Amino acid sequence: MWGQVQIETDAQTILRYGELVVYVRRVEDEWRFSYRYNDPVDSGYAPEEEDWIRLVSRGDESLELAPVLPDRPLVIRPESPISIFPGRLARFFVALPLWYRFVAVLKNSRTDLIDIPSRILSNTWFGDPSAGELCYSLDAPLRRAPERLKDRTTTVTCQLTVRNGSDEKLNFERICAHVENLSIFENDGYLWTNEITVFFKGTEQVSQISIQDRPPDNLPNAQKLTAPREAVSRNILRRSFIFFRQFTGI
Amino acid sequence: MALFKNVDFSSLFTEDFLLTLFRAALYLVIGFLMLRVVIFLVRRLIRRRVTEQAKMLTTKVINYTGIVIIVVIVLLEFGVNLTPILGAAGILGLAIGIASQASLSNVISGLFLVSEKPFAAGDVITVGDKTGVVMSIDLLSVKIRTFDNLYIRVPNEKIVSGEVTNITRYPIRRMDFNLSVAYKENLQHVKDVLVDIAYRNPKVLDEPAPIIMFRDFADSGITLLFGVWFQKTDYMNVKNSVTLEIKNRFDEEGIEIPFPHLSIYAGSTTAPFPVAAVKEEEVESQE
């Protein structure tokens, strides 16, 4: 699925990825893209002239497809609140929505043309109304095993480990995942992100959120497909922690 | 004449005078160059620490102070006695101060605005009944461009003494829709439809959650408040899309939005004036 995309010359190519339908045309030195969601196969829809996104590049490139994660943090809202008792560790798996990145390739030159979300995500706010952060909202179940996740072919699996190192119960309803700091790996046909580990040390203590720069340990064949949009910085980690504490409600 | 008592007019165009003239010109050129350099350095030093307004104010203070110093040096070079000038300047200053109380009040208000920072250039504010984007905050006034492209100058004093609303101060806002539904409607169903409208609109924030509050049993129907949160840049998008969605969904769900009806009565009886459409042939047959 990933890598080179076959494009018909002088005609539009229709690509279907789950509920997303992408229309691609190459006209002289332009790449033209248009996309819709939930478009039936036999709808007969053809983009109008104003529906195309026109990107001027070169005429002799090939087109490649790469998976990327959303461009803003995701606020993951599990189906129900979760509590972790003191000293316990919980490992969760969550399916993150995928974005499709089309890249024009000519020898060693790669030009990112467009990122298209696999589905429309709703905006949400994380933190205080006067100084929070704009995120995407994701209603997604936190599963205890990756096999229990649905739509794994059109999503990226994220392994989230929460360790309660405090002497109090940790209650949380939402988690803010800074997906712009995550890489994507492929293992046996499934996509994975780096593992996120949250170490909760208590209400009054500084907790720690860390993102390992490698795939989860139990994936021996994992190959890195996409680098993170942004490198991990100490500030981002700190912000994540503050937000996490806010969301724990303690 | 006391002002120029130390000036020897007979020495005009002598070698000494030309030398003095040259030195004065040199002081002027070097003085203004140094002033430019000082302003440049100060602006560079404070560029990331203070607001644009503070930078502008600092620049102007340094500029005017520098000009005064340069002028004084040049006058001293010509041997001008400054004591009478300073005395006259004091009296003149007093006169100007009395004559321009409003302007001075605006200048001082401008200083308060710079220090308090209730808004910055680029913010959208409402002053009185005017709303627009702040273009600049100057010593005497704030310049605003309204959304219908009018240029408004608001004196600083008016802003400091009156109420100012900064619409874009915070990154997210709540948009309130005041709705009314008929008494026959199932209110729980109305509430569910509104929640669904907010949830399906990607520009409406899921959190903070939308609020729905039934307000009153009013004359025409039950009034309610529907408030949705959005990112401040999405104002127009949310306003239009949510309004359209409310109307369309209420139509689809058969939820009636009541509005006042006007009935025309004739005479003192309580029955309404009967009006019926009839065909032309029927009118002729009755005649």
Side-chain angles (χ1 to χ4, degrees), chain A residues 15 30 32 38 47 53 58 65 75 89 114-115 127 134-135 142 155 168-170 195 197-198 208 217 222 239 243:
Chain A
L15 306 166
E30 282 186 23
R32 296 186 182 186
N38 298 314
I53 299 163
R58 297 171 54 118
L65 180 66
V75 173
L89 175 146
I114 189 171
D115 289 357
L134 186 67
C135 303
L142 291 182
T155 57
E168 55 193 294
K169 191 167 75 171
L170 168 62
E195 182 180 355
T197 305
V198 180
Q208 185 181 352
D217 293 334
R239 268 191 289 149
F243 292 149

Side-chain angles (χ1 to χ4, degrees), chain A residues 7-27:
Chain A
I7 298 295
E8 294 177 33
T9 311
D10 298 329
Q12 78 177 18
T13 304
I14 301 175
L15 306 166
R16 292 183 178 275
Y17 308 110
E19 62 189 64
L20 170 69
V21 187
V22 182
Y23 303 84
V24 188
R25 284 186 72 186
R26 183 164 57 187
V27 182

Side-chain angles (χ1 to χ4, degrees), chain A residues 75 77 120-126 129-132 134 137 139 174 247, chain B residues 169-172 198-208 229 231 234:
Chain A
V75 173
R77 307 197 300 183
I120 298 170
L121 294 168
S122 185
N123 287 350
T124 193
W125 193 252
F126 195 56
S130 60
L134 186 67
S137 175
D139 289 327
R174 303 166 200 80
F247 271 152
Chain B
R169 178 63 170 264
Y170 298 125
I172 57 172
Y199 183 74
R200 285 173 184 272
N201 190 321
K203 296 294 181 190
V204 171
L205 300 178
D206 287 5
E207 289 182 9
W229 289 84
Q231 195 188 12
D234 288 333

Side-chain angles (χ1 to χ4, degrees), chain B residues 47-174:
Chain B
R47 67 179 169 179
R48 286 182 186 164
R49 298 177 190 175
V50 296
T51 60
E52 275 300 318
Q53 295 75 47
K55 264 189 269 186
M56 181 268 296
L57 193 69
T58 310
T59 306
K60 284 190 174 173
V61 167
I62 295 172
N63 197 28
Y64 293 140
T65 310
I67 288 171
V68 169
I69 292 171
I70 292 168
V71 169
V72 167
I73 290 172
V74 169
L75 288 176
L76 285 173
E77 183 60 32
F78 280 113
V80 176
N81 183 4
L82 290 176
T83 313
I85 292 180
L86 291 174
I91 296 166
L92 193 67
L94 191 66
I96 291 173
I98 292 168
S100 58
Q101 281 183 35
S103 298
L104 283 175
S105 170
N106 280 323
V107 170
I108 292 165
S109 299
L111 295 176
F112 286 134
L113 282 181
V114 169
S115 61
E116 193 186 357
K117 296 180 208 163
F119 50 78
D123 282 350
V124 178
I125 63 168
T126 299
V127 184
D129 59 346
K130 307 292 182 195
T131 300
V133 181
V134 177
M135 296 171 67
S136 66
I137 303 168
D138 299 326
L139 272 181
L140 292 175
S141 62
V142 171
K143 314 297 192 301
I144 296 172
R145 184 172 64 82
T146 63
F147 293 115
D148 52 349
N149 216 25
L150 298 178
Y151 176 89
I152 299 179
R153 176 187 177 279
V154 186
N156 288 340
E157 188 190 9
K158 191 177 174 189
I159 290 179
V160 169
S161 60
E163 185 180 295
V164 179
T165 307
N166 187 339
I167 294 170
T168 52
R169 178 63 170 264
Y170 298 125
I172 57 172
R173 292 174 57 193
R174 198 182 76 194

